[in-house]
Coordinates of all heavy atoms in Angstrom, one line a residue:
M67 N 67.9 124.9 115.5 CA 68.8 126.0 115.6 C 69.3 126.4 114.2 O 69.4 125.6 113.2 CB 70.1 125.6 116.3 CG 70.0 125.5 117.8 SD 71.3 125.1 118.8 CE 71.3 123.4 118.7
A68 N 69.4 127.7 114.0 CA 69.7 128.2 112.7 C 71.1 127.9 112.2 O 71.4 127.7 111.1 CB 69.6 129.7 112.8
T69 N 72.1 127.8 113.2 CA 73.4 127.4 112.8 C 73.5 126.0 112.2 O 74.2 125.8 111.3 CB 74.3 127.5 114.1 OG1 73.7 126.6 115.1 CG2 74.4 128.9 114.7
D70 N 72.6 125.1 112.6 CA 72.6 123.8 112.0 C 72.3 123.9 110.5 O 72.7 123.1 109.7 CB 71.6 122.9 112.8 CG 72.1 122.5 114.1 OD1 73.4 122.5 114.3 OD2 71.4 122.1 114.9
Y71 N 71.5 124.9 110.2 CA 71.0 125.0 108.9 C 72.1 125.5 107.9 O 72.3 125.2 106.8 CB 69.8 125.9 108.7 CG 69.0 125.8 107.4 CD1 68.0 124.7 107.5 CD2 69.2 126.6 106.4 CE1 67.3 124.7 106.3 CE2 68.5 126.4 105.2 CZ 67.4 125.4 105.2 OH 66.7 125.4 104.1
D72 N 72.9 126.4 108.6 CA 74.1 127.0 107.7 C 75.3 126.2 107.7 O 76.1 126.3 106.7 CB 74.4 128.4 108.5 CG 73.6 129.5 107.8 OD1 72.7 129.2 107.1 OD2 73.9 130.7 108.1
A73 N 75.5 125.4 108.7 CA 76.8 124.7 108.8 C 77.1 123.8 107.5 O 78.1 123.9 107.0 CB 76.8 123.8 110.0
P74 N 76.1 122.9 107.0 CA 76.3 122.1 105.9 C 76.7 123.0 104.7 O 77.5 122.7 103.9 CB 75.1 121.4 105.6 CG 74.4 121.4 107.0 CD 74.8 122.7 107.6
R75 N 76.0 124.1 104.4 CA 76.3 125.0 103.3 C 77.7 125.4 103.3 O 78.5 125.5 102.3 CB 75.3 126.1 103.3 CG 73.8 125.5 102.9 CD 72.8 126.5 103.2 NE 72.9 127.6 102.1 CZ 72.2 128.7 102.2 NH1 71.3 128.9 103.2 NH2 72.3 129.7 101.3
K76 N 78.2 125.9 104.4 CA 79.4 126.4 104.6 C 80.5 125.3 104.3 O 81.5 125.6 103.7 CB 79.7 127.1 106.0 CG 79.1 128.4 106.1 CD 79.6 129.0 107.5 CE 78.9 130.4 107.7 NZ 79.2 131.0 109.1
T77 N 80.2 124.1 104.7 CA 81.1 123.1 104.5 C 81.2 122.8 103.1 O 82.3 122.5 102.5 CB 80.7 121.8 105.3 OG1 80.6 122.1 106.7 CG2 81.8 120.7 105.2
E78 N 80.1 122.7 102.3 CA 80.2 122.5 100.9 C 81.0 123.5 100.2 O 81.8 123.2 99.3 CB 78.7 122.4 100.4 CG 78.1 121.1 100.8 CD 76.6 121.1 100.3 OE1 76.2 122.1 99.5 OE2 75.9 120.2 100.5
E79 N 80.8 124.9 100.6 CA 81.5 125.9 99.9 C 83.0 125.7 100.2 O 83.9 125.8 99.3 CB 81.0 127.2 100.5 CG 79.7 127.6 99.9 CD 79.1 128.9 100.5 OE1 79.9 129.4 101.4 OE2 78.0 129.3 100.2
D80 N 83.4 125.3 101.4 CA 84.7 125.2 101.7 C 85.4 124.1 100.9 O 86.5 124.1 100.4 CB 85.0 124.9 103.2 CG 84.7 126.1 104.1 OD1 84.8 127.2 103.6 OD2 84.4 125.9 105.3
L81 N 84.6 122.9 100.7 CA 85.1 121.8 99.9 C 85.3 122.3 98.6 O 86.4 121.9 98.0 CB 84.0 120.7 100.1 CG 84.0 120.0 101.4 CD1 82.9 118.9 101.5 CD2 85.4 119.3 101.7
S82 N 84.4 122.9 97.9 CA 84.6 123.4 96.5 C 85.8 124.3 96.4 O 86.5 124.2 95.5 CB 83.3 124.0 96.1 OG 83.1 125.3 96.8
E83 N 85.9 125.2 97.3 CA 87.1 126.0 97.3 C 88.4 125.2 97.3 O 89.4 125.5 96.6 CB 87.1 127.1 98.4 CG 86.0 128.2 98.1 CD 85.9 129.2 99.2 OE1 86.7 129.0 100.2 OE2 85.2 130.0 99.1
D84 N 88.4 124.3 98.3 CA 89.7 123.4 98.4 C 89.9 122.7 97.1 O 91.1 122.6 96.6 CB 89.4 122.4 99.6 CG 89.5 123.2 100.9 OD1 89.9 124.4 100.9 OD2 89.1 122.6 101.9
S85 N 89.0 122.1 96.5 CA 89.1 121.4 95.3 C 89.7 122.2 94.2 O 90.6 121.9 93.4 CB 87.8 120.7 94.8 OG 86.9 121.7 94.5
L86 N 89.2 123.5 94.0 CA 89.6 124.4 93.1 C 91.2 124.7 93.3 O 92.0 124.7 92.4 CB 88.8 125.8 93.1 CG 87.5 125.6 92.5 CD1 86.7 126.9 92.6 CD2 87.7 125.3 90.9
E87 N 91.5 124.9 94.6 CA 92.9 125.1 94.9 C 93.8 123.9 94.7 O 94.9 124.1 94.2 CB 93.0 125.6 96.4 CG 92.4 127.0 96.7 CD 92.5 127.3 98.2 OE1 93.0 126.5 99.0 OE2 92.1 128.4 98.5
E88 N 93.2 122.8 94.9 CA 94.0 121.6 94.6 C 94.3 121.4 93.1 O 95.4 121.2 92.7 CB 93.3 120.4 95.0 CG 93.3 120.2 96.6 CD 92.7 118.9 97.1 OE1 92.1 118.2 96.1 OE2 92.5 118.8 98.3
L89 N 93.2 121.8 92.3 CA 93.4 121.7 90.8 C 94.3 122.7 90.4 O 95.3 122.4 89.5 CB 92.1 122.1 90.1 CG 91.0 120.8 90.2 CD1 89.6 121.4 89.7 CD2 91.5 119.6 89.5
K90 N 94.4 123.9 90.9 CA 95.3 125.0 90.6 C 96.8 124.5 90.9 O 97.7 124.6 90.1 CB 95.1 126.2 91.2 CG 93.9 126.9 90.7 CD 93.6 128.3 91.4 CE 92.2 128.9 90.9 NZ 91.9 130.1 91.7
A91 N 96.9 123.8 92.1 CA 98.2 123.4 92.6 C 98.6 122.3 91.6 O 99.9 122.3 91.3 CB 98.2 122.9 94.0
R92 N 97.9 121.3 91.3 CA 98.3 120.2 90.3 C 98.7 120.8 89.0 O 99.8 120.4 88.4 CB 97.1 119.3 90.2 CG 96.8 118.5 91.4 CD 95.6 117.7 91.3 NE 95.2 117.0 92.6 CZ 94.1 116.3 92.6 NH1 93.2 116.1 91.6 NH2 93.7 115.6 93.8
R93 N 97.9 121.8 88.5 CA 98.4 122.4 87.2 C 99.7 122.9 87.3 O 100.6 122.8 86.4 CB 97.4 123.4 86.8 CG 95.9 122.7 86.4 CD 95.0 123.8 86.0 NE 93.7 123.3 85.8 CZ 92.5 123.9 85.6 NH1 92.7 125.4 85.7 NH2 91.4 123.4 85.2
S94 N 99.9 123.8 88.4 CA 101.3 124.4 88.5 C 102.4 123.3 88.6 O 103.5 123.5 88.1 CB 101.2 125.3 89.7 OG 101.2 124.5 90.9
D95 N 102.1 122.1 89.3 CA 103.1 121.1 89.4 C 103.5 120.6 88.1 O 104.6 120.3 87.8 CB 102.6 120.0 90.4 CG 102.7 120.5 91.9 OD1 103.3 121.5 92.1 OD2 102.0 119.9 92.7
K96 N 102.5 120.4 87.3 CA 102.6 119.6 86.0 C 103.5 120.6 85.1 O 104.3 120.1 84.4 CB 101.3 119.2 85.3 CG 100.7 118.1 86.0 CD 99.4 117.7 85.2 CE 98.7 116.5 85.9 NZ 97.4 116.2 85.2
S97 N 103.0 121.9 85.1 CA 103.9 122.9 84.2 C 105.3 123.0 84.6 O 106.1 123.3 83.9 CB 103.1 124.2 84.2 OG 103.1 124.8 85.5
S98 N 105.6 123.0 86.0 CA 106.8 123.2 86.5 C 107.8 122.0 86.0 O 108.9 122.3 85.6 CB 106.9 123.4 87.9 OG 106.6 122.1 88.5
G99 N 107.3 120.8 86.2 CA 108.3 119.7 85.8 C 109.3 119.3 86.8 O 110.0 118.4 86.6
Q100 N 109.3 120.1 87.9 CA 110.4 119.7 88.9 C 110.1 118.4 89.6 O 111.0 117.8 89.9 CB 110.2 120.9 90.0 CG 110.8 122.2 89.4 CD 110.9 123.3 90.4 OE1 110.3 123.1 91.5 NE2 111.4 124.4 90.1
V101 N 108.8 118.1 89.7 CA 108.5 116.8 90.4 C 109.0 115.7 89.5 O 109.6 114.7 90.1 CB 107.0 116.7 90.6 CG1 106.7 115.3 91.2 CG2 106.5 117.8 91.5
D102 N 108.9 115.7 88.2 CA 109.4 114.7 87.4 C 110.9 114.5 87.4 O 111.4 113.4 87.4 CB 109.0 114.9 85.9 CG 107.5 114.7 85.7 OD1 106.8 114.1 86.6 OD2 106.9 115.4 84.7
E103 N 111.6 115.7 87.5 CA 113.0 115.6 87.6 C 113.4 114.9 88.9 O 114.4 114.1 88.9 CB 113.6 117.0 87.5 CG 113.6 117.6 86.1 CD 114.1 119.0 86.1 OE1 114.7 119.4 87.2 OE2 114.1 119.6 85.1
D104 N 112.8 115.2 90.0 CA 113.0 114.5 91.2 C 113.0 113.0 91.1 O 113.7 112.2 91.6 CB 112.3 115.1 92.4 CG 112.7 116.5 92.7 OD1 113.8 116.8 92.3 OD2 112.0 117.2 93.4
E105 N 111.8 112.6 90.5 CA 111.6 111.2 90.4 C 112.6 110.5 89.5 O 113.1 109.4 89.8 CB 110.2 111.0 89.7 CG 109.0 111.3 90.6 CD 107.7 111.2 90.0 OE1 107.7 110.9 88.8 OE2 106.8 111.4 90.6
I106 N 113.2 111.2 88.5 CA 114.1 110.6 87.6 C 115.4 110.5 88.5 O 116.1 109.4 88.4 CB 114.4 111.4 86.4 CG1 113.3 111.4 85.5 CG2 115.7 111.1 85.7 CD1 113.3 112.4 84.3
E107 N 115.8 111.5 89.1 CA 117.0 111.4 90.0 C 116.9 110.2 91.0 O 117.8 109.5 91.2 CB 117.2 112.7 90.8 CG 117.7 113.8 89.8 CD 117.8 115.1 90.5 OE1 117.6 115.1 91.8 OE2 118.2 116.1 89.9
A108 N 115.7 110.0 91.6 CA 115.5 109.0 92.6 C 115.7 107.6 91.8 O 116.3 106.7 92.4 CB 114.2 109.1 93.2
A109 N 115.2 107.6 90.7 CA 115.3 106.2 89.9 C 116.8 105.9 89.6 O 117.3 104.8 89.7 CB 114.5 106.4 88.7
E110 N 117.5 107.0 89.2 CA 119.0 106.8 88.9 C 119.7 106.3 90.2 O 120.6 105.5 90.1 CB 119.6 108.1 88.4 CG 119.1 108.4 87.0 CD 119.7 109.8 86.6 OE1 120.2 110.4 87.3 OE2 119.4 110.0 85.3
G111 N 119.2 106.8 91.3 CA 120.0 106.4 92.5 C 119.7 105.0 92.9 O 120.6 104.3 93.4
Y112 N 118.5 104.5 92.5 CA 118.3 103.0 92.8 C 119.0 102.2 91.8 O 119.2 101.0 92.1 CB 116.7 102.8 92.6 CG 115.9 103.3 93.8 CD1 114.9 104.3 93.6 CD2 116.2 102.8 95.0 CE1 114.1 104.7 94.7 CE2 115.3 103.2 96.1 CZ 114.4 104.2 96.0 OH 113.7 104.7 96.9
E113 N 119.4 102.6 90.6 CA 120.1 101.8 89.7 C 121.5 101.5 90.3 O 122.1 100.5 89.9 CB 120.3 102.4 88.3 CG 118.9 102.5 87.7 CD 119.0 103.2 86.3 OE1 120.1 103.7 86.0 OE2 117.9 103.4 85.7
L114 N 122.1 102.4 91.1 CA 123.5 102.2 91.6 C 123.7 100.9 92.3 O 124.5 100.2 92.0 CB 123.9 103.4 92.3 CG 124.2 104.6 91.5 CD1 124.5 105.9 92.4 CD2 125.3 104.5 90.6
P115 N 122.7 100.6 93.3 CA 122.9 99.3 94.0 C 122.8 98.2 93.1 O 123.4 97.2 93.3 CB 121.7 99.3 95.0 CG 121.5 100.8 95.2 CD 121.7 101.5 93.8
G116 N 122.0 98.3 92.1 CA 121.9 97.2 91.0 C 123.2 96.8 90.4 O 123.5 95.7 90.2
A117 N 124.0 97.9 90.1 CA 125.3 97.7 89.5 C 126.3 97.0 90.4 O 127.0 96.0 90.0 CB 125.9 99.0 89.1
D118 N 126.1 97.3 91.7 CA 126.9 96.6 92.6 C 126.6 95.1 92.8 O 127.4 94.2 92.8 CB 126.7 97.3 94.0 CG 127.3 98.6 94.1 OD1 128.1 98.9 93.2 OD2 127.0 99.5 95.0
L119 N 125.2 94.8 92.7 CA 124.8 93.4 92.7 C 125.5 92.7 91.5 O 125.9 91.4 91.7 CB 123.3 93.3 92.6 CG 122.6 93.8 94.0 CD1 121.1 93.8 93.7 CD2 123.0 92.9 95.0
S120 N 125.5 93.2 90.4 CA 126.0 92.5 89.2 C 127.5 92.3 89.5 O 128.1 91.2 89.0 CB 125.9 93.4 87.9 OG 126.7 94.5 88.1
G121 N 128.3 93.1 90.2 CA 129.7 92.8 90.5 C 129.7 91.7 91.4 O 130.6 90.8 91.3
E122 N 128.8 91.5 92.4 CA 128.8 90.4 93.3 C 128.6 89.1 92.5 O 129.2 88.1 92.8 CB 127.7 90.6 94.3 CG 128.1 91.7 95.3 CD 127.0 91.8 96.4 OE1 126.1 91.0 96.3 OE2 127.0 92.8 97.2
E123 N 127.7 89.1 91.5 CA 127.5 87.8 90.7 C 128.8 87.5 90.1 O 129.2 86.3 90.0 CB 126.5 88.1 89.7 CG 125.1 88.2 90.3 CD 124.0 88.5 89.3 OE1 124.4 88.4 88.1 OE2 122.8 88.7 89.7
L124 N 129.6 88.4 89.5 CA 130.8 88.1 88.9 C 131.9 87.5 89.9 O 132.5 86.5 89.5 CB 131.5 89.4 88.3 CG 130.8 89.9 87.1 CD1 131.3 91.2 86.6 CD2 130.9 88.9 85.8
S125 N 131.9 88.0 91.0 CA 132.8 87.5 92.1 C 132.4 86.0 92.4 O 133.3 85.2 92.7 CB 132.8 88.4 93.4 OG 131.5 88.3 94.0
V126 N 131.1 85.7 92.4 CA 130.7 84.4 92.7 C 131.2 83.4 91.6 O 131.7 82.3 91.9 CB 129.2 84.3 92.8 CG1 128.7 82.9 92.8 CG2 128.7 85.0 94.0
R127 N 131.2 83.9 90.4 CA 131.7 83.0 89.3 C 133.2 82.6 89.4 O 133.7 81.7 89.0 CB 131.4 83.6 87.9 CG 129.8 83.7 87.7 CD 129.7 84.5 86.4 NE 128.3 84.7 86.1 CZ 127.8 85.4 85.1 NH1 128.7 86.0 84.3 NH2 126.6 85.7 85.0
V128 N 134.0 83.8 90.0 CA 135.4 83.6 90.1 C 135.8 82.5 91.1 O 136.9 82.0 91.2 CB 136.0 84.8 90.3 CG1 137.5 84.8 90.5 CG2 135.8 85.9 89.2
L129 N 135.0 82.2 92.1 CA 135.2 81.4 93.2 C 135.7 80.0 92.5 O 135.3 79.5 91.6 CB 134.0 81.0 93.9 CG 133.5 82.0 94.9 CD1 132.1 81.7 95.6 CD2 134.6 82.4 96.0
P130 N 136.9 79.4 93.2 CA 137.5 78.1 92.7 C 136.4 77.1 92.6 O 135.7 76.9 93.6 CB 138.6 78.0 93.6 CG 138.3 78.8 94.8 CD 137.5 80.0 94.4
R131 N 136.5 76.4 91.5 CA 135.7 75.2 91.5 C 136.3 74.0 92.2 O 137.4 73.7 92.1 CB 135.5 74.8 90.0 CG 134.2 74.7 89.5 CD 134.1 74.2 88.1 NE 135.0 74.9 87.2 CZ 135.5 74.4 86.1 NH1 135.2 73.3 85.7 NH2 136.4 75.2 85.4
Q132 N 135.4 73.2 92.8 CA 135.7 72.0 93.5 C 136.0 71.0 92.4 O 135.4 70.9 91.3 CB 134.8 71.6 94.5 CG 134.6 72.6 95.6 CD 135.8 72.8 96.4 OE1 136.6 72.0 96.7 NE2 136.2 74.2 96.6
A133 N 136.8 69.9 92.7 CA 137.0 68.8 91.8 C 135.8 68.1 91.5 O 135.7 67.5 90.3 CB 138.0 67.8 92.4
D134 N 134.7 68.1 92.3 CA 133.5 67.3 92.0 C 132.5 68.2 91.5 O 131.4 67.9 91.5 CB 133.0 66.5 93.3 CG 132.8 67.4 94.4 OD1 133.2 68.6 94.3 OD2 132.3 67.1 95.4
E135 N 132.9 69.4 91.0 CA 131.9 70.3 90.5 C 132.3 70.8 89.0 O 133.5 70.5 88.6 CB 131.8 71.6 91.3 CG 131.2 71.4 92.7 CD 131.3 72.6 93.6 OE1 132.0 73.5 93.3 OE2 130.5 72.7 94.6
F136 N 131.3 71.3 88.3 CA 131.5 71.7 87.0 C 130.7 73.0 86.8 O 129.8 73.3 87.5 CB 131.1 70.6 86.0 CG 129.7 70.6 85.8 CD1 128.9 71.1 84.8 CD2 128.9 69.8 86.8 CE1 127.5 71.0 84.9 CE2 127.6 69.6 86.7 CZ 126.9 70.2 85.8
T137 N 131.2 73.8 85.8 CA 130.5 75.0 85.4 C 129.6 74.7 84.1 O 130.2 74.4 83.2 CB 131.5 76.2 85.2 OG1 132.3 76.4 86.4 CG2 130.8 77.5 84.9
C138 N 128.3 74.9 84.3 CA 127.5 74.7 83.3 C 127.8 75.8 82.1 O 127.8 77.0 82.4 CB 126.1 74.9 83.6 SG 124.8 74.6 82.3
T139 N 127.9 75.3 81.0 CA 128.2 76.2 79.8 C 126.9 77.1 79.3 O 127.0 77.9 78.4 CB 128.8 75.5 78.6 OG1 128.0 74.5 78.2 CG2 130.2 75.0 79.0
S140 N 125.8 76.6 79.9 CA 124.5 77.3 79.4 C 124.1 78.4 80.4 O 123.9 79.5 80.1 CB 123.4 76.2 79.3 OG 122.2 76.8 78.9
C141 N 124.1 78.0 81.7 CA 123.7 79.0 82.8 C 124.9 79.6 83.5 O 124.6 80.4 84.3 CB 122.6 78.3 83.7 SG 123.3 77.0 84.6
F142 N 126.0 78.9 83.2 CA 127.3 79.5 83.8 C 127.3 79.3 85.4 O 127.9 80.2 86.0 CB 127.6 80.8 83.5 CG 127.7 81.1 81.9 CD1 126.7 81.7 81.2 CD2 128.9 80.7 81.3 CE1 126.8 81.8 79.9 CE2 129.0 80.8 80.0 CZ 127.9 81.3 79.2
L143 N 126.5 78.4 85.9 CA 126.5 78.3 87.4 C 127.2 77.0 87.6 O 127.4 76.0 86.8 CB 125.1 78.0 87.8 CG 124.1 79.3 87.8 CD1 122.7 78.9 88.2 CD2 124.8 80.4 88.7
V144 N 127.9 76.9 88.8 CA 128.7 75.8 89.3 C 127.8 74.7 89.9 O 126.9 75.1 90.8 CB 129.7 76.3 90.3 CG1 130.5 74.9 90.8 CG2 130.7 77.2 89.6
H145 N 127.7 73.5 89.4 CA 126.9 72.5 89.9 C 127.7 71.2 90.3 O 128.9 71.2 89.9 CB 125.9 72.0 88.9 CG 124.9 73.0 88.4 ND1 123.8 73.5 89.1 CD2 125.0 73.8 87.3 CE1 123.2 74.4 88.5 NE2 123.9 74.6 87.2
H146 N 127.2 70.5 91.1 CA 127.9 69.2 91.5 C 127.8 68.2 90.4 O 126.9 68.4 89.5 CB 127.1 68.6 92.7 CG 127.9 67.5 93.4 ND1 127.7 66.1 93.0 CD2 129.0 67.4 94.2 CE1 128.6 65.4 93.6 NE2 129.3 66.1 94.4
R147 N 128.8 67.4 90.2 CA 128.9 66.5 89.1 C 127.7 65.6 88.9 O 127.3 65.2 87.8 CB 130.1 65.6 89.1 CG 131.4 66.4 89.0 CD 132.5 65.5 88.5 NE 132.4 65.1 87.1 CZ 132.7 65.7 86.1 NH1 133.3 66.9 86.2 NH2 132.5 65.3 84.9
S148 N 127.0 65.4 90.1 CA 125.8 64.5 89.9 C 124.7 65.3 89.2 O 123.7 64.6 88.7 CB 125.3 64.3 91.4 OG 124.8 65.5 92.0
Q149 N 124.8 66.7 88.9 CA 123.8 67.3 88.2 C 124.2 67.6 86.7 O 123.6 68.3 85.9 CB 123.6 68.7 88.7 CG 122.9 68.6 90.2 CD 122.6 70.0 90.7 OE1 123.4 70.6 91.4 NE2 121.4 70.5 90.5
L150 N 125.4 66.8 86.3 CA 125.8 67.0 85.0 C 124.9 66.1 84.0 O 125.0 64.8 84.1 CB 127.3 66.5 84.8 CG 127.9 66.5 83.5 CD1 127.9 67.9 82.9 CD2 129.3 66.0 83.5
A151 N 124.2 66.8 83.2 CA 123.3 66.0 82.3 C 124.1 65.3 81.2 O 124.1 64.2 80.9 CB 122.2 66.9 81.7
Y152 N 125.0 66.1 80.4 CA 125.8 65.5 79.4 C 127.0 66.5 79.1 O 127.0 67.7 79.5 CB 125.0 65.3 78.1 CG 124.4 66.5 77.5 CD1 125.1 67.4 76.6 CD2 123.2 66.9 77.9 CE1 124.6 68.5 76.1 CE2 122.5 68.2 77.3 CZ 123.2 68.8 76.4 OH 122.7 70.0 75.9
E153 N 128.0 66.0 78.4 CA 129.1 66.8 78.0 C 129.4 66.6 76.6 O 129.5 65.5 76.1 CB 130.4 66.4 78.9 CG 131.6 67.3 78.5 CD 132.7 66.9 79.5 OE1 132.5 66.1 80.5 OE2 133.9 67.3 79.3
K154 N 129.3 67.8 75.9 CA 129.5 67.8 74.5 C 130.5 68.8 74.1 O 130.4 69.9 74.3 CB 128.1 68.1 73.8 CG 128.2 68.1 72.3 CD 126.8 68.3 71.7 CE 126.9 68.3 70.1 NZ 125.6 68.6 69.6
D155 N 131.6 68.3 73.4 CA 132.7 69.1 72.9 C 133.3 69.9 74.0 O 133.6 71.1 73.8 CB 132.2 70.0 71.7 CG 131.7 69.2 70.5 OD1 132.2 68.1 70.3 OD2 130.9 69.8 69.8
G156 N 133.4 69.3 75.2 CA 134.0 70.1 76.3 C 133.1 70.9 77.0 O 133.4 71.6 77.9
Q157 N 131.8 71.0 76.5 CA 130.8 72.0 77.1 C 129.9 71.1 78.0 O 129.3 70.2 77.5 CB 130.0 72.5 76.1 CG 130.8 73.6 75.2 CD 130.0 74.3 74.3 OE1 129.0 73.9 73.9 NE2 130.3 75.6 73.8
Q158 N 130.0 71.5 79.3 CA 129.2 70.6 80.3 C 127.9 71.4 80.5 O 127.8 72.7 80.8 CB 130.0 70.5 81.5 CG 131.3 69.6 81.4 CD 132.2 69.8 82.5 OE1 132.5 70.9 83.0 NE2 132.7 68.7 83.0
V159 N 126.8 70.6 80.4 CA 125.4 71.2 80.7 C 124.8 70.6 81.8 O 124.8 69.3 81.9 CB 124.6 71.0 79.4 CG1 123.2 71.7 79.7 CG2 125.3 71.7 78.1
C160 N 124.2 71.4 82.7 CA 123.6 70.9 83.9 C 122.3 70.2 83.6 O 121.7 70.5 82.4 CB 123.5 71.9 85.0 SG 122.2 73.0 84.6
T161 N 121.7 69.5 84.4 CA 120.4 68.8 84.2 C 119.2 69.8 84.1 O 118.3 69.6 83.4 CB 120.0 67.9 85.4 OG1 120.1 68.6 86.6 CG2 121.1 66.7 85.5
E162 N 119.4 71.0 84.8 CA 118.3 72.0 84.7 C 118.3 72.6 83.2 O 117.2 72.9 82.8 CB 118.6 73.0 85.7 CG 118.5 72.5 87.1 CD 118.8 73.7 88.1 OE1 118.9 74.9 87.7 OE2 119.0 73.4 89.3
C163 N 119.4 72.8 82.7 CA 119.5 73.4 81.4 C 119.1 72.4 80.3 O 118.5 72.7 79.3 CB 120.8 74.0 81.1 SG 121.3 75.4 82.1
A164 N 119.4 71.2 80.6 CA 119.2 70.0 79.5 C 117.7 69.7 79.7 O 117.2 69.2 78.6 CB 120.1 68.8 79.9
A165 N 117.0 70.0 80.7 CA 115.6 69.6 80.8 C 114.8 70.3 79.8 O 115.1 71.5 79.4 CB 115.1 69.8 82.2
Ligands
LIG32 ZN1 122.8 75.0 83.5

């Protein structure tokens, strides 16, 4: 059939035209710069939850220490006294930081 002979050629022409249009669209996107601004705004939005997480870490440090616990002066984490590696000049260091 003659249509079978023509069909592939038309498809190739359509593909080449689509790629040209895509290239033109990409060039216009780069020149506009609007896409980059949107990405920056999205990144700034993601930073806000991170700030909240830092606040949660501070609240954890404020938690009252138990009598059998100490705050490591190196990593500032509360450990059980069994994890106290050594105490020097009132500074208590946990076994993880002393290792
Ligand atoms: Zn430590």
Side-chain angles (χ1 to χ4, degrees):
M67 287 183 268
T69 52
D70 284 341
Y71 202 85
D72 265 11
R75 292 168 67 185
K76 281 185 177 180
T77 303
E78 287 179 3
E79 287 176 0
D80 289 339
L81 284 174
S82 63
E83 286 178 2
D84 287 345
S85 61
L86 282 176
E87 289 178 357
E88 286 182 5
L89 286 175
K90 289 178 182 177
R92 289 176 186 174
R93 288 177 184 172
S94 63
D95 285 345
K96 286 182 179 179
S97 62
S98 67
Q100 290 178 354
V101 175
D102 290 338
E103 288 180 4
D104 288 344
E105 288 179 355
I106 291 173
E107 288 180 0
E110 287 177 352
Y112 283 120
E113 288 179 4
L114 291 176
D118 291 342
L119 286 175
S120 64
E122 289 181 3
E123 288 180 4
L124 288 174
S125 66
V126 170
R127 293 177 189 174
V128 176
L129 284 174
R131 227 187 316 157
Q132 299 300 319
D134 60 347
E135 291 178 338
F136 71 98
T137 302
C138 175
T139 55
S140 181
C141 64
F142 301 103
L143 292 176
V144 177
H145 296 281
H146 192 265
R147 291 204 70 84
S148 63
Q149 293 183 276
L150 177 61
Y152 61 87
E153 183 172 348
K154 181 179 180 182
D155 298 333
Q157 293 185 335
Q158 297 167 312
V159 180
C160 70
T161 55
E162 295 179 11
C163 293

